[in-house]
Amino acid sequence: VREGIEGKELKRVKAGLRTARLDALQTVDGVAEALAEGQGSFGNAGALDDQLDQVLTMKPEQARKAAERFLKPDNTNVLTINPKGAAQ
């Protein structure tokens, strides 16, 4: 977080997010889910598209500031799943 993110890495992340969004909208069910999630969670059916647009225009410095704000040890949960019978 302190070091930030390089432009190349941010570009890769943005491409992955864009691809995931397009993949999710390939079916009628996917479109319906996206609209329902936006409306139900944010009161705006197009909210997920709006959020993606904001992320896609984000600069590396903005990404670093967002990471500093949200990626903190006190905001972390760790889940460990051990196979049945494994030592814990």
Side-chain angles (χ1 to χ4, degrees), residues 29-43:
D29 286 344
V31 173
E33 280 184 32
L35 294 172
E37 183 177 347
Q39 185 64 42
S41 298
F42 305 103

Side-chain angles (χ1 to χ4, degrees), residues 35-84:
L35 294 172
E37 183 177 347
Q39 185 64 42
S41 298
F42 305 103
N44 172 7
L48 298 182
D49 288 332
D50 296 343
Q51 289 179 345
L52 181 60
D53 289 344
Q54 289 176 353
V55 171
L56 294 179
T57 60
M58 185 179 282
K59 305 285 186 238
E61 179 61 18
Q62 292 169 305
R64 186 191 60 75
K65 286 181 180 179
E68 283 180 349
R69 180 175 175 198
F70 296 107
L71 301 179
K72 297 180 179 183
D74 57 332
N75 287 345
T76 303
N77 291 309
V78 177
L79 172 66
T80 303
I81 300 174
N82 295 314
K84 199 174 205 176

